[in-house]
Amino acid sequence: MGNCRSTARVLPGKNHVLDLEWKIQDFSSLLETGAKSARSDRFHCSGFEWDLEVSPMHKKLDARTAYVALRLVMTARKRVEQGHSVHAVFELSIYNHSNGTYYGCKASHTFDLKNFYSNKHCLIPLQELLKSAAFLVDDSCVFGVEILKVDVTSPEKKAVVVHKKTTTVQNLFVQNKGFIKGTYTWTMDNFPKLDSKHFVRSPTFEVGGHKWYIVMYPCGDKYSTGCLSLYLYLDASKKLPLESKKVVTVTLSILDQKNGKHFTRTTGLLVYTKGFGWADFLGLKKLKDPSGGYLVGSHCLIKADLTIVGSSTEGQV
C-alpha cells in the first residue's frame, strides 16, 4: 500500500495557472477496472517531460480509509544523466467546481537517474469524493499539477527557470464495457548467446488494430543493475493518432517452464504514446536459477497481455 503524505488545503482559485489540467471522464468506470493507478499522457515543462499519476483507492500504512492520491512522475529519464539530479517544487490538486478553487498540496521531490517518482500525496478520501457534488460532476473530476520551481544539480551547475505557458488539457475516457484484449508469447531459443550490451526485440504482433513489440535488455539497460529490463512498445510505423490515444493496461511475464509459477508485473492505466516497462523487471540471479524454470537450457518464454480500456485526448487553453 505504501506511504502517503496528506497535506491537502485550498489552493488559489481561478488565477491558479496549471501546467496540466487532467479531466477523468467516467470516474466510476475507472474504479470498476480495479486498476491501482492511472497515468496521464506526457506534458512538457522546463525542458523535461512529466506525467501525473492518480491512485484512486490508495491506503496509508495500517489504515482502512481509501484515499485519492496523486504523484508527479518524470518521464524523460534520458535527460537525467549520471551525476545529475532535478529538484522540483510543485502543487498537486483536484478542482472544486462549486467555488472555482483547487484543493490540494504543495510538495517537492528530487528526481535522478533511478528515482523518477515523487511520493504519493493523499488529497481526499475516496468515499468523500464519490458523495461530492463539487469535486465529482457528471461522474467526472479534474486533477491538476503546477510546477513552481526546478533546480538542476550537475557538474556544470546548470540552472533552470520555469517559464509559464499555456496549460496542457487532457481528457481520459474509460470504457465501461467492450475492452479489447490481446496476448502474445515470445519464444527465445538462444538467450545465453545474446549480446549483453544491446537490446533484442520480438516480432511485432497486433492488438486493437495496432502493432506492438517487446524489447528486452538481457543484462539490463542503463537504469538497472543486475536485472533483466523488459518493455512493451508501440510500433513507430503505426503511431496512434494524436487526437485520440489509447489507454491500456499491460502485463509482462516471464513464464516458469517447470513449476508454472510465472513471474509477472502489471501496470496501471497508461496513455500509450510509445512504450512502457521495467528497467529492473527481474534480477539476473533469480532469472538464471535452475530451480526457477525461467531459463531452461537456452529457452526463455516472455508473454505480453494487453488490454485497451479507453482513450485520451489533448488540447491547450
Side-chain angles (χ1 to χ4, degrees):
M1 295 181 182
N3 293 317
C4 184
R5 299 183 179 183
S6 180
T7 55
R9 59 185 176 84
V10 177
L11 299 174
K14 295 186 178 181
N15 293 324
H16 192 58
V17 180
L18 300 174
D19 289 294
L20 173 68
E21 178 184 296
W22 188 32
K23 185 174 184 179
I24 297 183
Q25 314 274 1
D26 304 315
F27 189 77
S28 60
S29 295
L30 169 62
L31 297 178
E32 288 170 5
T33 66
K36 293 182 179 180
S37 65
R39 189 180 293 191
S40 73
D41 196 4
R42 300 173 181 180
F43 67 96
H44 299 265
C45 183
S46 300
F48 298 96
E49 292 181 340
W50 313 83
D51 290 337
L52 182 60
E53 184 181 276
V54 59
S55 298
M57 297 175 284
H58 183 79
K59 292 184 179 180
K60 301 179 185 180
L61 288 175
D62 303 320
R64 295 183 179 180
T65 301
Y67 280 83
V68 177
L70 295 180
R71 69 175 171 180
L72 183 64
V73 183
M74 174 176 278
T75 59
R77 289 175 284 157
K78 62 183 180 181
R79 296 178 182 267
V80 185
E81 300 176 2
Q82 189 72 41
H84 293 59
S85 64
V86 178
H87 182 75
V89 180
F90 48 93
E91 289 182 339
L92 305 171
S93 59
I94 182 172
Y95 186 63
N96 186 326
H97 292 81
S98 65
N99 57 20
T101 61
Y102 291 88
Y103 181 75
C105 63
K106 185 176 180 179
S108 64
H109 188 75
T110 299
F111 301 86
D112 57 35
L113 186 67
K114 295 184 179 181
N115 183 16
F116 38 91
Y117 293 91
S118 79
N119 293 315
K120 292 183 179 180
H121 294 268
C122 295
L123 297 189
I124 185 173
L126 175 60
Q127 290 305 314
E128 182 178 331
L129 173 64
L130 295 177
K131 295 176 182 177
S132 172
F135 294 109
L136 190 66
V137 177
D138 296 328
D139 199 24
S140 300
C141 52
V142 178
F143 299 104
V145 57
E146 180 180 6
I147 298 177
L148 304 173
K149 184 180 180 182
V150 173
D151 293 313
V152 177
T153 300
S154 68
E156 300 82 19
K157 302 297 182 182
K158 180 181 177 182
V160 173
V161 178
V162 177
H163 296 287
K164 286 301 170 186
K165 58 184 185 315
T166 55
T167 300
T168 298
V169 178
Q170 296 177 11
N171 293 273
L172 185 147
F173 302 87
V174 182
Q175 302 164 195
N176 55 17
K177 60 181 180 179
F179 294 165
I180 299 173
K181 297 185 178 183
T183 187
Y184 173 76
T185 300
W186 180 21
T187 302
M188 302 187 64
D189 296 322
N190 61 341
F191 185 89
K193 296 181 180 180
L194 295 177
D195 187 341
S196 63
K197 296 182 180 180
H198 297 88
F199 68 86
V200 59
R201 58 170 286 177
S202 74
T204 58
F205 60 97
E206 185 171 325
V207 177
H210 303 285
K211 300 290 186 179
W212 312 81
Y213 62 91
I214 302 167
V215 166
M216 182 183 70
Y217 293 80
C219 290
D221 60 16
K222 66 179 181 179
Y223 305 114
S224 67
T225 302
C227 293
L228 175 117
S229 302
L230 204 59
Y231 301 89
L232 178 70
Y233 280 91
L234 177 68
D235 193 332
S237 65
K238 186 68 175 179
K239 291 183 178 179
L240 295 174
L242 293 177
E243 65 275 11
S244 183
K245 299 176 182 178
K246 299 301 180 184
V247 177
V248 307
T249 60
V250 175
T251 297
L252 295 179
S253 307
I254 295 185
L255 303 186
D256 179 346
Q257 302 171 61
K258 293 182 177 180
N259 314 299
K261 297 180 179 179
H262 310 315
F263 184 83
T264 296
R265 298 184 74 167
T266 301
T267 69
L269 272 62
L270 301 169
V271 179
Y272 233 83
T273 304
K274 185 179 180 182
F276 189 86
W278 293 270
D280 56 349
F281 185 84
L282 180 63
L284 293 177
K285 184 177 180 180
K286 185 174 182 179
L287 172 69
K288 296 177 181 180
D289 185 345
S291 65
Y294 303 122
L295 186 60
V296 178
S298 63
H299 302 289
C300 181
L301 303 180
I302 298 174
K303 183 182 177 186
D305 292 286
L306 175 66
T307 303
I308 300 174
V309 302
S311 60
S312 176
T313 61
E314 181 176 317
Q316 292 184 331
V317 296

